[in-house]
Amino acid sequence: MIPRYARPDMVAIWEPESRYGIWLEIETLAMEAMAELGTIPKSAAVEYRAKGKFDVARIDEIEREVKHDVIAFLTSVAEHVGPESRFAHQGMTSSDVLDTCLAVQLARASDLLIAGCERVMASLKKRAIEHKMTPTIGRSHGIHAEPTTFGLKLAGHYAEFARNLERLHMARFEIATCAISGAVGTFAQIDPRVEAYVAEKLGLVPEPVSTQVIPRDRHAAFFAALGVVAAGIERLATEVRHLQRTEVLEAEEFFEPGQKGSSAMPHKRNPVLTENLCGLARLVRSAVTPAMENVALWHERDISHSSVERGIGPDATIHLDFALHRVAMVIEKLVVYPENMARNLALLGGLHNSQRVMLALTQAGVSREDAYRLVQRNAMAVWQSPPPRPSTALIDRLRADPDVTAKLDPKTLEGCFDDAHHFARVDEIFARVFG
Amino acid sequence: MIPRYARPDMVAIWEPESRYGIWLEIETLAMEAMAELGTIPKSAAVEYRAKGKFDVARIDEIEREVKHDVIAFLTSVAEHVGPESRFAHQGMTSSDVLDTCLAVQLARASDLLIAGCERVMASLKKRAIEHKMTPTIGRSHGIHAEPTTFGLKLAGHYAEFARNLERLHMARFEIATCAISGAVGTFAQIDPRVEAYVAEKLGLVPEPVSTQVIPRDRHAAFFAALGVVAAGIERLATEVRHLQRTEVLEAEEFFEPGQKGSSAMPHKRNPVLTENLCGLARLVRSAVTPAMENVALWHERDISHSSVERGIGPDATIHLDFALHRVAMVIEKLVVYPENMARNLALLGGLHNSQRVMLALTQAGVSREDAYRLVQRNAMAVWQSPPPRPSTALIDRLRADPDVTAKLDPKTLEGCFDDAHHFARVDEIFARVFG
Amino acid sequence: MIPRYARPDMVAIWEPESRYGIWLEIETLAMEAMAELGTIPKSAAVEYRAKGKFDVARIDEIEREVKHDVIAFLTSVAEHVGPESRFAHQGMTSSDVLDTCLAVQLARASDLLIAGCERVMASLKKRAIEHKMTPTIGRSHGIHAEPTTFGLKLAGHYAEFARNLERLHMARFEIATCAISGAVGTFAQIDPRVEAYVAEKLGLVPEPVSTQVIPRDRHAAFFAALGVVAAGIERLATEVRHLQRTEVLEAEEFFEPGQKGSSAMPHKRNPVLTENLCGLARLVRSAVTPAMENVALWHERDISHSSVERGIGPDATIHLDFALHRVAMVIEKLVVYPENMARNLALLGGLHNSQRVMLALTQAGVSREDAYRLVQRNAMAVWQSPPPRPSTALIDRLRADPDVTAKLDPKTLEGCFDDAHHFARVDEIFARVFG
Amino acid sequence: MIPRYARPDMVAIWEPESRYGIWLEIETLAMEAMAELGTIPKSAAVEYRAKGKFDVARIDEIEREVKHDVIAFLTSVAEHVGPESRFAHQGMTSSDVLDTCLAVQLARASDLLIAGCERVMASLKKRAIEHKMTPTIGRSHGIHAEPTTFGLKLAGHYAEFARNLERLHMARFEIATCAISGAVGTFAQIDPRVEAYVAEKLGLVPEPVSTQVIPRDRHAAFFAALGVVAAGIERLATEVRHLQRTEVLEAEEFFEPGQKGSSAMPHKRNPVLTENLCGLARLVRSAVTPAMENVALWHERDISHSSVERGIGPDATIHLDFALHRVAMVIEKLVVYPENMARNLALLGGLHNSQRVMLALTQAGVSREDAYRLVQRNAMAVWQSPPPRPSTALIDRLRADPDVTAKLDPKTLEGCFDDAHHFARVDEIFARVFG
């Protein structure tokens, strides 16, 4: 975990105190359930709830001897609770505590990620509506294609994050299960009602069949979902980086007063936040492969997944959480330059209406292939003329091409160059996206 | 795509004929919708439906000149249809055809994968019920832990594949969208009702906002789901490989008459099918990272995703489909050796009941730490004695340990060694899994 | 393997005929060595060399029964050779044949990749020298930084491919080993001199200690090297894509006569080759993870690596080979626009010399922090002025800033805006790169 | 970075104090070189060396304002040095400091990894020699194949780590370069002799052509090498895990006095160290993909690589370093059970000599196919007989098979069952591996 890419709320979930706190709650809830069932004395559960405490340094000390973290934890709590602590953890195994705790942590992490995703969506929606009708050139392959609006660009990203929100809800659903099933998961020494009780109190559902551990396909699916969200952040960040390029400069990350862009070059204003987001996306995605490699544990369980999860559990959730808030902030504060968009839109002298002309020609009886060639030869001439090109460069050429004018009257041709028709469906698309 | 790991049904989806067939259907449906809307003459749509044909070799030939597959396809069809073909593809762009076609192919592929997953589930359920009460040792860390049943092992895998089935349904849902939205997705030259019509006819839903392409987060999520399924196959295959190990031999892949295990060693019977499945799982998972790298296309689209999808589209679906049927077949025909399970279960002289004794001691007032030490010192002595160990090795030692007998009367001690209690909850777990 | 991204030379290496041909050569060479050592009759070796033949269809047929490819192959050859064939494969195991064959195939593939890499280097060197002194703006973060030359850009890529060439040589070295060591690699039934003989004849070196298989860390290192090369292709391809962007247009992929850029928009000329290369890079890199997962085979060997290698062996080498030649062709034919480079260079009104001014101020006694602020405030004013900006925009402002003129006399200031100094070291850097 | 999988020496390399210390050394060395060249006053260099200091908290504070770490650092140092500090960083850019610092850190990290690898090799060599002639069954596919020795197993791993050592040396070579080339790498404001001086003092070589940054293919190759080493650790760890399985128990991780294997089951002794190593291997390998994604920076540089490297730089080196020492310790202390190896070797009643018999039959004139079938039918009968099988099970059956005895006289047959021949080449292989 890289501290500079971390928000305190998410970091807190992964701190030792949080983890041991959840362990203690699991053990205590399990005792309460067992006491209710008569398996252990009620006094033991009451005592554990009342006196149960742990000491992180003491746990570390004990673990150095016994080489087992849960035993170290139980011993530390026992030192506070006294003899009644022998009724703790009855019929349970470490994985019951560890895996259920991980489920609680990942569920809490999911809640933060969901909130982060909703912030991204809110920022995109606000700016999309603001720029719903701001014309800008659409680009395929980095090359001017046809006009679109800046709001429509953002609406596309909004729709992606709406899908990501669903994926995060699904991811939370995947991992929010509880297993208190004892050694190799047979409930041989523990009543399934204990599991049901603990699950309910923790907001989880019982794992239908655990094999001492909660199966790791759940976690693989969880981290895969995070990887997809990270990829969506990369797509949005890449868009901003492109728009901020010197030659394009249609939008720009907010540059704070006092900020310096380069130690060497005082003129620089770089899209460092979005570049950073691209890097963070790579980091978050790097959790996906090891999470999938974790699935095939041996027989009822091995512990190879554990070190992986100690890494990717905090890292992927903390960095994705940070990235979501960073990307939201970038969008909220994004400086948009409609005048530059307009200037760029005019750059190719009307080439962006080439399709319109071709379609008009086919409607006028020209075959698709001939229409294509007719328009292409005029378009390429404009393409190869040096900038600045007059905004009428293409129509001027077409007007001078007898093969074109033989088929299209002046008014029809002019109609092909009315940009308004490119924006005619924006309302309809917005309705599809934002309802 | 590796032919030996391919089933004809899935291969067929990805053949050029299938792809061009879907393209033709999309173009024809779009024309029918346009004709209905009055954008093009009805006769053109009728003509295209009637005469529309393509020729793979001819398409290849044209593509070599124009360097564009969809244009080559349209030209080939136009050669069959004649002049009316100029009304085809009006206001559409190649991606409308390509991406909608890919959606159809992936949806069909999903249907086969879902069927394959259901076959795996059926095989697991059948064998799980057959061996519901077949005792076997549960192993954590590859070390004997406590008894379970072979049916319970399989039930765990069944539950994982039931989750995988849901994931495949979700994956299908993710990619089953249609985009007929024209250049940069603005519907500038095409009515959204065309998209709605084509979508409905093809069993897809319209993509709310496309940017000429269907956004690639959908495909990333799709291939990630396939990766999780592949990991589940690896887990099950790894279990079989472990069970077939010479020293374990609790189950074995079916060995066909005439089969040879080794070119050098005539005695060999190797778990080659499940080893192969582990490799196939790695192959399928290898699609996940490039699919995620495909998400961040530039602006409204670039075509970098295309070559990736030409690879992973067929490869991941074909190999996963093959793997699902192979693993189902392995389970269906798996040779199970209950007698070997029983022999292995007895191997450690009753150590698998160590927890029972420890819990009985704590119930009798011994602290958890002391109980652990008392049992551990006897258990380690048994552990270190050379096999074959009598099945009463641990209880014999405990009976001779005065610290133990001071706390546990003979009957209580004996009760700890009744294996039946390990299986007491199997019915309940089966009910949770199979309903 | 995707046929459209494949060159015949590399494809030939992986065809069944090639593979079986190598198998036959290995078996024959081994027999000749054994005959020489007196282990088998000389006549048997002579016979095998003379009559040894195989039939792909027949091998397939036999394999369907025995489920073992090498046994099927040996049986097919035996049908041509007759009784003497019983002396073939003596003391050998299938892996001796398979792994040594794979080494031969990967070594041949390496030779082609090395040739491809050399072609890329040649293309880069030629164009680098051609444009050694063509000024262009250097960009960090996509933002104009300071001038460089187009030749220097290409020299950087050349140096990377020179490193890639070394990596390919190392990769070849890694995998060019031969194992003829029999079951579990003990040479129990075969003389190590047979291995030495076969290795020498095939241009390989003996694997010091094989465990029936050649250890897979070699192959992991091999595919990792290919992944690094692919990433280098992606970097170069990304540069071209950026340069071809409409607003930049400093270079462009060659657009062939007759080529069509878009089915919808006749004006389009898209960098589709380099976009395609980015996708191919992702595909090649996707081989790295499964190759690393292949290393940890169980005990002396399992066969899980095999299906992976049947995929990534041909796929990664074929697609990388294709990509190397495609990127070389792109560079060879790249259309470069020095006039556009000049125009872009002037876009920011001289901001690219901001560092020069800052350094001059520090040399004149101003603290770094103050110098930075002085320049930054003038630079930001230029930055925010609308284009087109006069090429003297920054110097004009500085000349009007009394805090600047108090420290810098007019001549010193003017000297800061002489672009020539940016190119003063180009010769020296070229000498470092090209020798 | 996960603290429990970290050794202090490696952690120290990555601490802020180390990083800033290297930055200060780079800036100071550069000033000394510039002073020598007369670019800046000698007094400035002397002053910087004498008074140059930094304050981590102060740097953090400044960075919060300027959003730029190197500027924050320079400002903090300037506060200690005074006005002469304006001569620092002249003509340099942040990347000169950052990338050269990273090279120093990765080179130091490499030195520790190399030492760790050498420790693994030493441990393997010692135990290999100790068990050079300890017979054990070789296993292919987890199934008994033919005998080998435990020393030979370890020799194979030794040879792999010897290759890994070479790879680590190569990896160090890849990244040990220095760039002090200024904005976009043109040396426009800095003399290349400064770079040469700094490089030499830091034990690096100058980067032939940098583009402000050191090209990231170097780092991709570095992390790929670490991934291959990690995979080798996984292979060795997997071997130990297999050997410790209850049914096999041929070797065992050292179990420390006081250690507890399970919170629930006092009898457990689990291979947790090697399972943990498998997880760590996955973690280290997860750095490879993002490192490769880092290569394709935009134009002369973007900063997307930075966040990735802040993660994988420390994480991959720290965890691999820890893993190397952990695996070395496991091997050093590994408890080996030759008697269990002997027992397992006898498990299949002599089947491991099946190849010997087959070869003897072919030598006696039987075709390979018939010999295979003759042996296979007897071997399968032994295979299917329940254990314990007499060690003469196979030879007894062969002696009773008239088709066999017709071809092989009793003495020849008996010779096939002399295990000594399996070990005849061990000396020779050891000489190949250990020299």
Side-chain angles (χ1 to χ4, degrees), chain B residues 139-141 144 242 245-247 262-264 267-269 275 293 351 354-355 368 372 380 384, chain D residues 139-141 144 242 245-247 262-264 267-269 275 293 351 354-355 368 372 380 384:
Chain B
R139 295 169 179 97
S140 56
H141 314 277
H144 284 198
H242 275 304
R245 285 183 57 103
T246 300
E247 289 84 0
S262 158
S263 67
H267 72 274
K268 294 298 294 281
R269 281 163 63 161
E275 290 179 347
E293 292 173 341
L351 284 191
S354 69
Q355 184 188 193
R368 186 171 184 93
Y372 197 101
M380 285 302 125
Q384 279 150 4
Chain D
R139 294 169 179 97
S140 56
H141 314 278
H144 284 198
H242 275 305
R245 287 182 56 104
T246 300
E247 288 85 359
S262 158
S263 67
H267 72 273
K268 293 297 296 280
R269 282 163 63 161
E275 289 179 348
E293 291 173 341
L351 283 191
S354 69
Q355 183 188 195
R368 188 173 184 91
Y372 197 101
M380 286 301 124
Q384 279 150 3

Side-chain angles (χ1 to χ4, degrees), chain A residues 378-409:
Chain A
N378 286 287
M380 285 302 124
V382 174
W383 183 278
Q384 279 151 3
S385 67
R389 299 172 190 90
S391 63
T392 55
L394 180 57
I395 196 169
D396 291 347
R397 283 194 172 270
L398 293 168
R399 281 169 178 151
D401 185 332
D403 293 341
V404 173
T405 51
K407 294 293 178 181
L408 298 180
D409 63 79

